[in-house]
Amino acid sequence: MKRESIAAMGAALLIGGCGGTTVPEVRPAAHVPVPTATTAVPPSIAAVKGQTARHLVAQFGKPQLDITEGNARKLQFGGPICVLDAYLYPPEHGEAVVTHIDTRQRDGRPIDPASCLAALTLRAAAP
C-alpha cells in the first residue's frame, strides 16, 4: 500500500502543477492605422540608375564635382555623412544616364548605398 500512496501523491503533484493557469481568450487585433510618410521617400539604387544628370541635380542639389571625359560624365554629390559618385554614359541614342554609382563615408570608409542616397535626399530637401 505504501507504493500506491507514493504513486498517488506523485500523480496529484503532477496534476496540481497544471492547475491555476487560464488560457487567454483569442481576440482579433484592433485596426492600427499606418502613418503616412511626411518626408520624401529616398530613392533606391535601382531608381537612380538610368537617370539623367538633370534628374540627379533635382534630387540631390548642385553637385560638388561635374567632370566630363570623352562621352562619360561623373557627378559627385556630398553631404555631412557620405559622398555619392554617379557615372553617366550615353546610350546609343539620347542623353547620358547613370550606369554605375559609388558611395563612401566622408572619411573613405564604405557605406550602404541606400543609406547614403537617403542621407543626400534628406539634405537636399532641408530648407
Side-chain angles (χ1 to χ4, degrees), residues 71-88:
N71 64 353
R73 186 174 179 188
K74 173 185 166 183
L75 296 178
Q76 186 177 83
F77 301 91
I81 296 173
C82 65
V83 175
L84 162 69
D85 292 323
Y87 300 92
L88 297 91

Side-chain angles (χ1 to χ4, degrees), residues 43 48 51-67 73-88 98 100-106 111 113 115-124:
V48 171
Q51 297 301 318
T52 64
R54 186 176 24 246
H55 179 269
L56 294 179
V57 171
Q59 185 70 45
F60 303 117
K62 184 178 177 185
Q64 292 178 332
L65 288 175
D66 185 346
I67 301 170
R73 186 174 179 188
K74 173 185 166 183
L75 296 178
Q76 186 177 83
F77 301 91
I81 296 173
C82 65
V83 175
L84 162 69
D85 292 323
Y87 300 92
L88 297 91
V98 177
H100 180 75
I101 65 169
D102 285 323
T103 58
R104 63 188 172 283
Q105 292 183 47
R106 299 291 303 174
I111 188 171
S115 298
C116 183
L117 293 173
L120 290 172
T121 299
L122 291 174
R123 178 194 61 86

Side-chain angles (χ1 to χ4, degrees), residues 3-74:
R3 255 187 218 196
E4 291 174 3
S5 336
I6 293 174
M9 284 182 14
L13 285 174
L14 286 174
I15 293 171
C18 294
T21 6
T22 59
V23 177
E25 182 181 340
V26 178
R27 295 182 184 164
H31 175 70
V32 178
V34 177
T36 58
T38 56
T39 59
V41 176
S44 69
I45 298 162
V48 171
K49 287 190 177 180
Q51 297 301 318
T52 64
R54 186 176 24 246
H55 179 269
L56 294 179
V57 171
Q59 185 70 45
F60 303 117
K62 184 178 177 185
Q64 292 178 332
L65 288 175
D66 185 346
I67 301 170
T68 302
E69 185 176 318
N71 64 353
R73 186 174 179 188
K74 173 185 166 183

